[in-house]
Each structure stands twice: as C-alpha cells, then as structure tokens.
Amino acid sequence: MKNLMVTGGAGFIGANFVLQTLHKYPDYQVIVYDKLTYAGNTDNLLDVANNPHYHFVHGDICDAAAVEKAIVNYGIDTIVNFAAETHVDRSILNPDAFVQTSVYGTYVLLEAAKKHGLRYHQISTDEVYGDIPEGYSSVEDDPLRPRSPYAASKASADLMVQAYHITYGLPITISRGSNNIGPYQYPEKVVPLFTTNAMDGKPLPLYGDGRQKREYQFVGDHCEAIDLVLHKGTIGEVYNIGTGVEFENVEMVEILLDTVGRSHDLIKHVTDRAGHDRRYSLNIGKILRLGWEPEHTPEDAVRKTVRWYMDNEWWWRKVRDQDFDKYYEKQYGERLKS
Ligand code: NAD
Ligand code: DAU
C-alpha cells in the first residue's frame, strides 16, 4: 500500500485523513480525487499543497473514465472512499445527489477496484443502523435500518461494497463512524454552525427538545482508527468507530456556548428535523480490540473544535458565502420566525 486515492479528500474528514497520512507515511503518494461540491474546499489541503507526494485530481466518482484515468496515471493500489453528499437536512430537501454519489458513484469505484485489483476501504456511518433504543449499542453485523435519504444512500453503498467482496473476492473493509467534529467541517453541521452563529451573536436553532443523543468524536481520532483498519483490519470486515460516550445535543450546546463565552439564551428551540433519529450508539469493542482508543473526550473534542473556529475566521467566513445564506434561509427561515 503506497499509492492511495482518497476520494472526497477535499472535504472535512477526507482532508484531515490526507494531512495525517502524508505526515505519518512520508513515502506514500496521496492522490485526492474530488468533485469539489459546495462541501469540497482546497483550502483544507493548503498545508500539503507543496508536498511532492500530494496530487489533486478534480473529478466525479460517477465518471468511470475519469476514475480509470486517475488510477492508471498514478499507479493507484488503494482507494479510500470518503466521497458522498453528507448532510441529512439537505437529503430531506433534495435526495437526488445522495443517490447518485453514494449508490452509483460507489459502484463505479468498486468496478474500477475490481478491474485493477485494488484494496478498497469504504467510509460509512453509524446512521445506517437507524434509531437505536435506550440500553442497546449497535454491533457490526446488526441489520441496517436507515431512516433518512442520506442514511439510506450510505447503507446502499455498504451493501454494494460487501457484495463485491462476497461475489468477486474484492479486498474491502468498511468503517462506520459516529459524528465527527474538528477543523475544516463545513458550517452546515451542528457544531460549526452553532459556533459561528454564536460568534456573531445569532440564535442557535436547536431541533425539537434538543435531547437527541450523538457520539461526538474528534476527527483526528476517527482518522487514526481508519488508518488502523486500512493497515491492520481483517479483509471483508466492518468496524464501528465511536467514543462509547453519548451526549445530548443540549449538553454539547452548553459547552459550546461556554467556550465561545456567550449566553445560553442564544439557544432557540425550533421545529424538529423530519424523521429525526433520536439516538445512535455504537458498540466499539471490535476497533478497541484492534488496538485503537480515542485521545479526546467528547467535552475536549467540542472545546478544541470551537477554539479552532474562533482562531480560523479566515476559513469559515469565506465558506459562509451567498450560497450558504440561500441554504440557511431555506432550512431555517420559517423555523426561526415561529
Ligand atoms: P464533506 O461533506 O465535508 O465532504 C465530502 C467530500 O466529497 C467533498 O470534498 C465533496 O466535494 C466530495 N464529493 C461529493 N460528491 C462527490 C463526487 N460525486 N465525486 C467526487 N467527490 C465528491 O463530508 P465529511 O463530513 O468529510 O464525510 C466524509 C465521509 O465520511 C462521508 O462518506 C460521510 O458519509 C462519512 N461520515 C461522516 C461523518 C461526519 O460526522 N461528518 C461521520 C461518519 C461518516
Ligand atoms: O452520525 C454520523 C453522521 O453525523 C454522519 O454520517 C453525517 O454525515 C453527519 O452530517 C452527521 O449527521 P447528523 O445529522 O447527526 O449531524 P448534524 O450536525 O446535522 O446534527 C447533529 C445533531 O444536531 C442532530 O441530532 C440534529 C441536531 N441539529 C442539527 C442542526 C444542523 C440541530 O438541533 N440543529 C441544527 O441546526
């Protein structure tokens, strides 16, 4: 494993993974293959822009010819697929691109991996298990019960990846991560959205009663676990990656506001997300047994993330542009009026 194609590598987790990989394995070549949708941002990769081991290819994973060309040109031996449409609220407004990229795009990558005999790793999510009742944590061979168009598109991709392993013997692994937070996350997701709103004294639109539970994990910890699965995971297997610690959204928001130094009065309860999953919870025994443990507690992860946004206004003010404002109005305009 020396020539990695990181699809979706200009996005939040992908970019953190690329930065970490180039630092950790100075003899690897890392080829970022990315469509640069609204969520893709080459600013996330500025730290490696002049690294001769880093290359950028602008392309869509649904474009089989372009994928093939990149694989041949760079002698790719491994694909790590982060590329996806990733925001649940946008999948409710318009699922089309979610199906295209996660279902068809994953199939295109799998075909290319089969043709060229590549190792393949799929980045998946705890959302594929659906809403989890209190007292239970999902294990890797649980049935998939996705409930949003986003989660359904990711579950479909997982099933296709597993089918390519079973049918064609493709050497695959899959990791299912919980909510990541940290540097370079597009500010539609709750932690960067609320941090940047709080910095500007704007209300924080908390869905419903705010008592939904998520496992917020620091992105660097998640990337370390992906690296471990890539190098030491058993072929054909799935690995959950989380913290084992659940947080209610309201608890997360209070830490966030205290770190920014703003009043809790900025919290505004608004109409809930349609079909909102109340709780995700991962059993992480398998990844712990492989030799990983998270470095950050969820509290530390929230504080460290908030501080990054406070220190990096240059990054997020560029990203909160006119298109962002249009999306914000569509998603929150009515909600914030009532
Ligand atoms: P992101 O939205 O920040 O980035 C997605 C990247 O994929 C962008 O750079 C975008 O340009 C690229 N992309 C989208 N469609 C593409 C296409 N058709 N061809 C090529 N590139 C394309 O996403 P993220 O939050 O970094 O998530 C990365 C992966 O991790 C996704 O697969 C997501 O489902 C999964 N995941 C995310 C989280 C989380 O908390 N953010 C948790 C678990 C799993
Ligand atoms: O669990 C992993 C998933 O985490 C990833 O697969 C997804 O790509 C990623 O977007 C994330 O999904 P969530 O829907 O959990 O993340 P989001 O940041 O959108 O929301 C986190 C929680 O905060 C969720 O319970 C909804 C709530 N929320 C979110 C937003 C954007 C609010 O209360 N208000 C908001 O404005």
Side-chain angles (χ1 to χ4, degrees), residues 54-118:
Y54 159 73
H55 308 274
F56 182 81
V57 178
H58 186 198
D60 187 334
I61 62 167
C62 298
D63 182 344
V67 166
E68 167 86 15
K69 192 170 161 199
I71 289 172
V72 172
N73 280 356
Y74 290 99
I76 299 298
D77 53 40
T78 304
I79 294 177
V80 186
N81 180 28
F82 290 88
E85 291 292 330
T86 61
H87 193 40
V88 174
D89 291 327
R90 289 190 197 248
S91 85
I92 294 167
L93 292 171
N94 183 10
D96 191 86
F98 290 76
V99 178
Q100 280 300 321
T101 293
S102 278
V103 184
Y104 187 72
T106 300
Y107 153 74
V108 167
L109 294 178
L110 290 167
E111 271 297 298
K114 172 162 78 81
K115 179 172 173 191
H116 293 278
L118 312 183

Side-chain angles (χ1 to χ4, degrees), residues 129 140 158 162 173-176 234 236-240 286:
Y129 297 118
E140 286 82 352
D158 281 15
Q162 288 175 316
T173 41
I174 297 174
S175 54
R176 297 194 178 129
T234 303
E237 294 284 309
V238 179
Y239 293 85
N240 288 340
K286 193 167 171 182

Side-chain angles (χ1 to χ4, degrees), residues 211-315:
R211 302 200 57 190
Q212 306 83 5
K213 290 181 176 168
R214 295 290 184 271
E215 284 184 42
Y216 291 99
Q217 66 173 322
F218 195 68
V219 63
D221 291 340
H222 183 212
C223 291
E224 285 291 353
I226 293 167
D227 177 57
L228 186 66
V229 173
L230 197 57
H231 289 89
K232 302 230 171 83
T234 303
I235 294 300
E237 294 284 309
V238 179
Y239 293 85
N240 288 340
I241 307 175
T243 59
V245 183
E246 296 161 34
F247 248 31
E248 287 188 351
N249 286 331
V250 275
E251 294 176 71
M252 173 277 290
V253 178
E254 284 172 6
I255 298 171
L256 183 156
L257 282 168
D258 291 344
T259 312
V260 180
R262 290 282 187 170
S263 159
H264 293 192
D265 293 344
L266 281 182
I267 298 173
K268 181 162 170 58
H269 289 270
V270 298
T271 307
D272 209 347
R273 171 185 281 175
H276 198 166
D277 287 338
R278 197 84 190 150
R279 177 175 180 262
Y280 302 128
S281 177
L282 290 176
N283 179 318
I284 56 167
K286 193 167 171 182
I287 187 76
L288 294 177
R289 287 192 295 281
L290 199 64
W292 171 85
E293 57 181 330
E295 247 182 56
H296 300 80
T297 63
E299 288 91 339
D300 289 345
V302 174
R303 286 193 199 99
K304 198 167 168 177
T305 301
V306 171
R307 283 192 211 107
W308 187 85
Y309 283 85
M310 293 176 78
D311 292 344
N312 288 279
E313 286 194 44
W314 71 272
W315 184 87

